[in-house]
Protein backbone atom coordinates (compact mmCIF):
# COMPACT_ATOMS: atom_id res chain seq x y z
CA UNK A 1 0.00 0.00 0.00
CA UNK A 2 1.31 3.41 -0.89
CA UNK A 3 2.05 5.98 1.78
CA UNK A 4 0.10 9.21 1.58
CA UNK A 5 2.09 12.27 0.47
CA UNK A 6 0.97 14.02 3.66
CA UNK A 7 3.60 11.99 5.50
CA UNK A 8 6.26 14.01 3.73
CA UNK A 9 5.86 17.05 5.97
CA UNK A 10 6.98 15.35 9.17
CA UNK A 11 10.78 15.57 9.18
CA UNK A 12 13.66 17.51 7.65
CA UNK A 13 16.22 14.74 8.08
CA UNK A 14 17.95 13.63 4.90
CA UNK A 15 17.83 10.21 3.31
CA UNK A 16 20.07 11.11 0.40
CA UNK A 17 22.95 8.86 1.50
CA UNK A 18 21.06 5.51 1.61
CA UNK A 19 19.12 6.44 -1.52
CA UNK A 20 22.23 7.31 -3.49
CA UNK A 21 24.01 4.22 -2.20
CA UNK A 22 21.17 2.14 -3.57
CA UNK A 23 21.39 4.05 -6.86
CA UNK A 24 25.11 3.35 -7.05
CA UNK A 25 24.46 -0.35 -6.52
CA UNK A 26 22.19 -0.18 -9.54
CA UNK A 27 24.92 1.45 -11.59
CA UNK A 28 23.31 4.89 -11.58
CA UNK A 29 25.11 7.70 -9.77
CA UNK A 30 24.47 11.39 -10.27
CA UNK A 31 27.46 13.59 -11.03
CA UNK A 32 28.45 16.46 -8.71
CA UNK A 33 26.46 19.57 -9.50
CA UNK A 34 23.75 17.62 -11.31
CA UNK A 35 21.53 16.53 -8.47
CA UNK A 36 23.90 14.34 -6.47
CA UNK A 37 27.51 13.60 -5.56
CA UNK A 38 27.90 9.84 -5.15
CA UNK A 39 30.34 8.03 -7.41
CA UNK A 40 30.49 4.25 -8.10
CA UNK A 41 32.60 2.24 -5.64
CA UNK A 42 36.26 2.00 -6.56
CA UNK A 43 36.90 -0.89 -8.91
CA UNK A 44 33.20 -1.57 -9.44
CA UNK A 45 32.20 -2.69 -12.91
CA UNK A 46 29.11 -0.61 -13.65
CA UNK A 47 27.76 1.23 -16.65
CA UNK A 48 28.79 4.86 -17.06
CA UNK A 49 26.69 6.94 -14.69
CA UNK A 50 24.09 9.30 -16.09
CA UNK A 51 24.16 12.95 -14.94
CA UNK A 52 20.74 12.86 -13.25
CA UNK A 53 18.73 9.88 -14.50
CA UNK A 54 14.98 9.89 -15.00
CA UNK A 55 13.34 7.64 -12.39
CA UNK A 56 9.69 8.22 -13.30
CA UNK A 57 7.55 9.86 -15.96
CA UNK A 58 3.96 10.98 -15.27
CA UNK A 59 1.89 12.35 -18.14
CA UNK A 60 5.11 13.36 -19.85
CA UNK A 61 6.56 15.06 -16.80
CA UNK A 62 9.94 13.60 -15.84
CA UNK A 63 11.13 13.05 -12.31
CA UNK A 64 14.87 12.63 -11.72
CA UNK A 65 16.98 10.99 -9.06
CA UNK A 66 17.69 14.43 -7.62
CA UNK A 67 13.93 14.88 -7.17
CA UNK A 68 13.85 11.71 -5.09
CA UNK A 69 16.71 13.07 -2.99
CA UNK A 70 14.71 16.22 -2.30
CA UNK A 71 11.65 14.16 -1.47
CA UNK A 72 13.67 11.96 0.88
CA UNK A 73 14.67 14.97 2.99
CA UNK A 74 11.11 15.26 4.34
CA UNK A 75 10.29 11.65 5.15
CA UNK A 76 9.29 10.63 8.70
CA UNK A 77 11.72 8.80 10.91
CA UNK A 78 10.12 5.37 10.61
CA UNK A 79 10.50 5.49 6.83
CA UNK A 80 14.06 6.79 7.07
CA UNK A 81 15.12 3.58 8.83
CA UNK A 82 14.07 1.32 5.96
CA UNK A 83 16.69 -0.47 3.81
CA UNK A 84 17.46 1.38 0.56
CA UNK A 85 16.08 -1.41 -1.64
CA UNK A 86 12.72 -0.95 0.13
CA UNK A 87 12.97 2.82 0.36
CA UNK A 88 13.57 3.44 -3.35
CA UNK A 89 10.22 1.94 -4.54
CA UNK A 90 8.37 3.88 -1.83
CA UNK A 91 9.93 7.12 -3.01
CA UNK A 92 8.99 6.33 -6.61
CA UNK A 93 5.39 5.74 -5.56
CA UNK A 94 5.39 8.90 -3.46
CA UNK A 95 6.58 11.11 -6.27
CA UNK A 96 4.16 9.54 -8.77
CA UNK A 97 1.27 10.05 -6.35
CA UNK A 98 2.28 13.64 -5.88
CA UNK A 99 2.45 14.34 -9.62
CA UNK A 100 -0.90 12.66 -10.22
CA UNK A 101 -2.58 14.76 -7.54
CA UNK A 102 -0.98 17.94 -8.86
CA UNK A 103 -2.16 17.14 -12.40
CA UNK A 104 -5.67 16.46 -11.14
CA UNK A 105 -5.68 19.74 -9.20
CA UNK A 106 -4.62 21.64 -12.33
CA UNK A 107 -7.30 19.91 -14.43
CA UNK A 108 -9.84 21.07 -11.87
CA UNK A 109 -8.33 24.58 -12.14
CA UNK A 110 -7.54 24.71 -8.44
CA UNK A 111 -4.41 26.67 -9.32
CA UNK A 112 -6.76 29.49 -10.36
CA UNK A 113 -8.62 29.54 -7.04
CA UNK A 114 -7.78 32.83 -5.25
CA UNK A 115 -7.01 31.14 -1.93
CA UNK A 116 -4.82 28.52 -3.58
CA UNK A 117 -3.03 31.17 -5.63
CA UNK A 118 -2.38 33.11 -2.44
CA UNK A 119 -1.02 29.99 -0.73
CA UNK A 120 1.22 29.27 -3.73
CA UNK A 121 2.52 32.83 -3.69
CA UNK A 122 3.13 32.63 0.05
CA UNK A 123 5.06 29.37 -0.42
CA UNK A 124 7.17 30.91 -3.19
CA UNK A 125 7.87 34.00 -1.08
CA UNK A 126 8.79 31.86 1.91
CA UNK A 127 11.19 29.86 -0.25
CA UNK A 128 12.85 33.10 -1.40
CA UNK A 129 13.11 34.41 2.14
CA UNK A 130 14.58 31.14 3.39
CA UNK A 131 17.06 30.99 0.53
CA UNK A 132 18.27 34.51 1.31
CA UNK A 133 18.58 33.80 5.02
CA UNK A 134 20.28 30.44 4.47
CA UNK A 135 22.85 32.08 2.21
CA UNK A 136 23.50 34.83 4.74
CA UNK A 137 23.59 32.58 7.80
CA UNK A 138 25.67 29.69 6.45
CA UNK A 139 29.10 31.40 6.64
CA UNK A 140 28.37 32.67 10.16
CA UNK A 141 27.68 29.27 11.71
CA UNK A 142 30.58 27.21 10.42
CA UNK A 143 32.76 25.64 13.11
CA UNK A 144 35.56 28.03 12.17
CA UNK A 145 33.28 31.06 12.55
CA UNK A 146 31.88 29.86 15.87
CA UNK A 147 35.36 29.14 17.19
CA UNK A 148 36.42 32.67 16.21
CA UNK A 149 33.36 34.10 17.96
CA UNK A 150 34.21 32.09 21.08
CA UNK A 151 37.78 33.38 21.12
CA UNK A 152 36.52 36.95 20.80
CA UNK A 153 33.78 36.71 23.41
CA UNK A 154 35.06 34.30 26.05
CA UNK A 155 38.65 33.13 25.65
CA UNK A 156 41.09 34.75 28.09
CA UNK A 157 38.40 36.80 29.81
CA UNK A 158 37.55 36.59 33.51
CA UNK A 159 34.41 34.79 34.52
CA UNK A 160 31.18 36.56 35.44
CA UNK A 161 30.17 37.29 39.01
CA UNK A 162 27.27 35.20 40.36
CA UNK A 163 25.34 35.28 43.60
CA UNK A 164 23.42 32.61 45.46
CA UNK A 165 20.39 34.33 46.96
CA UNK A 166 16.94 33.78 48.34
CA UNK A 167 13.99 36.13 48.57
CA UNK A 168 10.55 36.68 50.03
CA UNK A 169 7.91 38.08 47.69
CA UNK A 170 4.82 39.82 49.07
CA UNK A 171 2.07 41.97 47.49
CA UNK A 172 2.63 45.21 49.42
CA UNK A 173 5.47 47.39 50.63
CA UNK A 174 4.05 47.36 54.15
CA UNK A 175 4.23 43.57 54.31
CA UNK A 176 7.83 43.65 53.08
CA UNK A 177 8.77 46.23 55.73
CA UNK A 178 7.18 44.05 58.40
CA UNK A 179 9.25 41.06 57.25
CA UNK A 180 12.44 43.15 57.32
CA UNK A 181 11.74 44.12 60.93
CA UNK A 182 11.20 40.47 61.85
CA UNK A 183 14.52 39.55 60.23
CA UNK A 184 16.27 42.35 62.08
CA UNK A 185 14.83 40.91 65.28
CA UNK A 186 16.37 37.51 64.54
CA UNK A 187 13.65 35.67 62.59
CA UNK A 188 14.76 32.83 60.31
CA UNK A 189 14.70 33.91 56.65
CA UNK A 190 13.83 30.48 55.23
CA UNK A 191 10.96 29.98 57.66
CA UNK A 192 9.54 33.41 56.88
CA UNK A 193 9.80 32.67 53.17
CA UNK A 194 7.88 29.42 53.56
CA UNK A 195 5.22 31.18 55.59
CA UNK A 196 4.87 34.57 53.86
CA UNK A 197 6.28 34.47 50.31
CA UNK A 198 3.93 34.22 47.33
CA UNK A 199 6.70 33.04 45.02
CA UNK A 200 6.95 29.33 44.02
CA UNK A 201 10.45 29.30 45.54
CA UNK A 202 8.82 29.71 48.98
CA UNK A 203 8.68 25.92 49.33
CA UNK A 204 12.51 25.94 49.26
CA UNK A 205 12.84 28.78 51.74
CA UNK A 206 12.87 31.32 48.91
CA UNK A 207 16.11 29.90 47.46
CA UNK A 208 16.74 31.06 43.88
CA UNK A 209 20.06 29.28 43.44
CA UNK A 210 22.98 30.84 41.59
CA UNK A 211 22.34 33.55 39.02
CA UNK A 212 24.13 36.23 37.04
CA UNK A 213 23.11 39.86 37.06
CA UNK A 214 21.68 39.60 33.57
CA UNK A 215 19.39 36.75 34.67
CA UNK A 216 17.23 39.02 36.80
CA UNK A 217 15.12 42.12 36.42
CA UNK A 218 17.35 45.22 36.83
CA UNK A 219 15.76 46.36 40.11
CA UNK A 220 16.14 42.92 41.65
CA UNK A 221 19.66 42.39 40.31
CA UNK A 222 20.96 45.79 41.47
CA UNK A 223 19.76 45.12 45.00
CA UNK A 224 21.06 41.56 45.15
CA UNK A 225 24.51 42.31 43.75
CA UNK A 226 24.96 45.20 46.19
CA UNK A 227 24.75 42.81 49.16
CA UNK A 228 27.54 40.85 50.80
CA UNK A 229 27.08 37.22 51.87
CA UNK A 230 24.75 37.01 54.86
CA UNK A 231 23.21 40.45 54.28
CA UNK A 232 19.59 41.11 53.40
CA UNK A 233 17.93 44.21 51.98
CA UNK A 234 16.89 46.73 54.62
CA UNK A 235 14.42 48.38 52.25
CA UNK A 236 11.80 46.55 50.16
CA UNK A 237 12.71 46.04 46.49
CA UNK A 238 9.90 46.69 44.04
CA UNK A 239 9.52 44.87 40.70
CA UNK A 240 6.52 44.18 38.52
CA UNK A 241 5.92 41.00 40.54
CA UNK A 242 5.53 42.77 43.87
CA UNK A 243 7.80 43.61 46.80
CA UNK A 244 10.92 41.59 47.57
CA UNK A 245 13.15 41.07 50.57
CA UNK A 246 16.43 39.59 49.33
CA UNK A 247 19.24 37.83 51.15
CA UNK A 248 22.56 36.89 49.54
CA UNK A 249 24.06 33.62 50.77
CA UNK A 250 27.23 33.32 48.67
CA UNK A 251 29.09 34.99 45.82
CA UNK A 252 31.48 33.53 43.29
CA UNK A 253 33.13 34.22 39.96
CA UNK A 254 31.96 31.59 37.51
CA UNK A 255 34.58 30.36 35.02
CA UNK A 256 33.97 31.22 31.37
CA UNK A 257 32.00 28.52 29.56
CA UNK A 258 33.83 26.02 27.40
CA UNK A 259 33.29 26.16 23.64
CA UNK A 260 30.97 23.16 23.87
CA UNK A 261 28.90 24.91 26.55
CA UNK A 262 28.75 28.20 24.64
CA UNK A 263 28.32 26.76 21.15
CA UNK A 264 24.53 26.83 20.96
CA UNK A 265 24.34 30.36 22.31
CA UNK A 266 27.07 31.54 19.92
CA UNK A 267 25.28 29.88 17.02
CA UNK A 268 21.96 31.51 17.90
CA UNK A 269 23.60 34.90 18.24
CA UNK A 270 25.37 34.49 14.90
CA UNK A 271 22.07 33.60 13.21
CA UNK A 272 20.32 36.62 14.72
CA UNK A 273 23.13 38.97 13.70
CA UNK A 274 23.23 37.59 10.15
CA UNK A 275 19.46 37.95 9.74
CA UNK A 276 19.55 41.46 11.22
CA UNK A 277 22.28 42.44 8.76
CA UNK A 278 20.12 41.26 5.86
CA UNK A 279 17.14 43.17 7.26
CA UNK A 280 19.17 46.37 7.50
CA UNK A 281 20.30 45.89 3.91
CA UNK A 282 16.71 45.27 2.80
CA UNK A 283 15.51 48.45 4.54
CA UNK A 284 17.92 50.67 2.65
CA UNK A 285 15.84 52.78 0.28
CA UNK A 286 12.67 50.83 1.11
CA UNK A 287 9.36 52.66 1.52
CA UNK A 288 7.53 51.23 4.53
CA UNK A 289 4.04 52.22 5.59
CA UNK A 290 2.14 50.92 8.62
CA UNK A 291 -1.61 50.95 9.19
CA UNK A 292 -4.00 50.35 12.06
CA UNK A 293 -6.29 47.32 12.14
CA UNK A 294 -9.05 49.36 10.51
CA UNK A 295 -6.76 50.32 7.62
CA UNK A 296 -6.24 53.92 8.74
CA UNK A 297 -2.69 55.35 8.76
CA UNK A 298 -0.84 55.01 12.05
CA UNK A 299 -0.29 58.38 13.70
CA UNK A 300 2.53 59.32 16.03
CA UNK A 301 0.06 59.40 18.92
CA UNK A 302 -1.22 55.86 18.32
CA UNK A 303 -0.06 53.39 20.96
CA UNK A 304 -0.23 49.61 20.99
CA UNK A 305 -1.51 47.68 23.97
CA UNK A 306 1.41 46.75 26.26
CA UNK A 307 2.16 43.00 26.42
CA UNK A 308 1.16 41.14 29.58
CA UNK A 309 3.87 40.91 32.21
CA UNK A 310 5.66 37.53 32.30
CA UNK A 311 5.40 35.44 35.42
CA UNK A 312 8.98 34.20 35.77
CA UNK A 313 9.78 32.93 39.23
CA UNK A 314 11.13 35.73 41.41
CA UNK A 315 11.80 37.84 38.34
CA UNK A 316 14.30 35.31 37.10
CA UNK A 317 14.81 35.38 33.36
CA UNK A 318 14.68 32.41 31.01
Amino acid sequence: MRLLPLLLSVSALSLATPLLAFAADQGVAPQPGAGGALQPPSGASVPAPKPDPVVARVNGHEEHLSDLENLAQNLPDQIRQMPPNMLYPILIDQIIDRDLLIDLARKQKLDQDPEVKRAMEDAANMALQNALIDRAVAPAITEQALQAAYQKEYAGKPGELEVHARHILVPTEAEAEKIIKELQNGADFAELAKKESTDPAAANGGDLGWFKKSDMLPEFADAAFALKPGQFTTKPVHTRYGWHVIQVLETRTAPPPTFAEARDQLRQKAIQEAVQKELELAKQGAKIEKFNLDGSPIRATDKAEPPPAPTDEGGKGN
Side-chain angles (χ1 to χ4, degrees), residues 77-93:
D77 183 71
Q78 65 268 29
I79 306 301
R80 191 175 70 253
Q81 305 301 325
M82 297 177 67
N85 64 330
M86 295 178 63
L87 174 63
Y88 182 78
I90 289 175
L91 289 173
I92 290 288
D93 286 345

Side-chain angles (χ1 to χ4, degrees), residues 5 12 32 39 49 55 61 85 93-94 107-108 112 123 141-142 164 192 208 242 251 261 265-266 269 295:
Q39 296 299 311
V55 294
H61 175 75
N85 64 330
D93 286 345
Q94 289 276 358
K107 287 177 183 178
Q108 296 178 1
Q112 300 302 312
I141 58 174
T142 63
H164 177 198
L192 279 178
L208 295 172
T251 63
E261 292 169 337
Q265 183 178 347
L266 290 169
K269 183 180 179 182

Side-chain angles (χ1 to χ4, degrees), residues 13 28 64 70 112 119-120 177 222 255-256 273:
L13 296 171
V28 178
H64 295 257
N70 292 333
Q112 300 302 312
M120 292 170 68
E177 289 175 342
D222 290 343
E273 290 177 349

Side-chain angles (χ1 to χ4, degrees), residues 26-42:
Q26 305 301 307
V28 178
Q31 295 293 323
L38 189 71
Q39 296 299 311
S42 177

Side-chain angles (χ1 to χ4, degrees), residues 2-317:
R2 294 184 179 183
L3 299 170
L4 292 176
L6 291 175
L7 288 174
L8 300 180
S9 64
V10 175
S11 169
L13 296 171
S14 175
L15 285 173
T17 299
L19 177 59
L20 289 176
F22 176 72
D25 289 341
Q26 305 301 307
V28 178
Q31 295 293 323
L38 189 71
Q39 296 299 311
S42 177
S45 177
V46 295
K50 300 176 183 179
D52 190 11
V54 174
V55 294
R57 188 177 288 112
V58 180
N59 295 329
H61 175 75
E62 293 182 344
E63 296 287 0
H64 295 257
L65 182 59
S66 59
D67 297 313
L68 290 193
E69 294 175 39
N70 292 333
L71 195 66
Q73 293 177 8
N74 299 305
L75 282 172
D77 183 71
Q78 65 268 29
I79 306 301
R80 191 175 70 253
Q81 305 301 325
M82 297 177 67
N85 64 330
M86 295 178 63
L87 174 63
Y88 182 78
I90 289 175
L91 289 173
I92 290 288
D93 286 345
Q94 289 276 358
I95 209 162
I96 290 172
D97 286 350
R98 184 190 70 179
D99 287 353
L100 287 170
L101 291 173
I102 290 173
D103 283 351
L104 180 60
R106 292 188 185 279
K107 287 177 183 178
Q108 296 178 1
K109 300 190 182 302
L110 286 178
D111 55 330
Q112 300 302 312
D113 181 278
E115 290 187 11
V116 176
K117 289 178 71 173
R118 173 67 179 272
M120 292 170 68
E121 290 171 3
D122 288 347
N125 289 337
M126 182 63 70
L128 279 174
Q129 172 188 293
N130 290 344
L132 178 70
I133 290 175
D134 287 347
R135 186 183 65 179
V137 165
I141 58 174
T142 63
E143 283 301 300
Q144 184 178 1
L146 294 178
Q147 286 280 2
Y150 175 78
Q151 292 297 320
K152 180 180 178 181
E153 190 160 339
Y154 293 108
K157 294 184 178 181
E160 191 172 352
L161 182 65
E162 294 182 333
V163 300
H164 177 198
R166 54 189 178 186
H167 79 138
I168 300 171
L169 175 65
V170 289
T172 68
E173 184 177 14
E175 291 176 90
E177 289 175 342
K178 178 177 177 291
I179 287 169
I180 290 172
K181 288 181 181 178
E182 292 185 52
L183 290 172
Q184 290 172 336
N185 289 330
D188 184 83
F189 194 102
E191 291 303 318
L192 279 178
K194 292 177 182 178
K195 180 182 177 182
E196 305 289 350
S197 182
T198 61
D199 189 83
N204 298 322
D207 197 334
L208 295 172
W210 290 95
F211 55 87
K212 298 178 175 63
K213 197 168 187 178
S214 59
D215 293 334
M216 294 294 184
L217 293 173
E219 309 94 319
F220 191 98
D222 290 343
F225 279 78
L227 298 172
K228 294 179 180 179
Q231 292 182 335
F232 56 83
T233 50
T234 56
K235 292 183 179 180
V237 178
H238 186 241
T239 72
R240 60 175 177 249
Y241 301 107
W243 295 86
H244 306 259
V245 180
I246 307 166
Q247 183 183 45
V248 167
L249 302 175
E250 304 171 84
T251 63
R252 70 182 183 188
T253 299
T258 64
F259 175 71
E261 292 169 337
R263 188 182 184 282
D264 287 346
Q265 183 178 347
L266 290 169
R267 188 176 187 275
Q268 187 61 35
K269 183 180 179 182
I271 291 172
Q272 292 173 349
E273 290 177 349
V275 172
Q276 189 60 39
K277 185 176 179 181
E278 292 301 303
L279 280 172
E280 293 301 322
L281 179 63
K283 288 178 181 178
Q284 293 178 10
K287 182 179 180 181
I288 301 171
E289 299 174 271
K290 294 183 179 180
F291 301 88
N292 292 306
L293 291 176
D294 61 1
S296 61
I298 294 179
R299 300 166 299 178
T301 55
D302 291 338
K303 293 183 179 179
E305 288 290 330
T311 56
D312 301 78
E313 180 179 301
K316 201 166 184 178

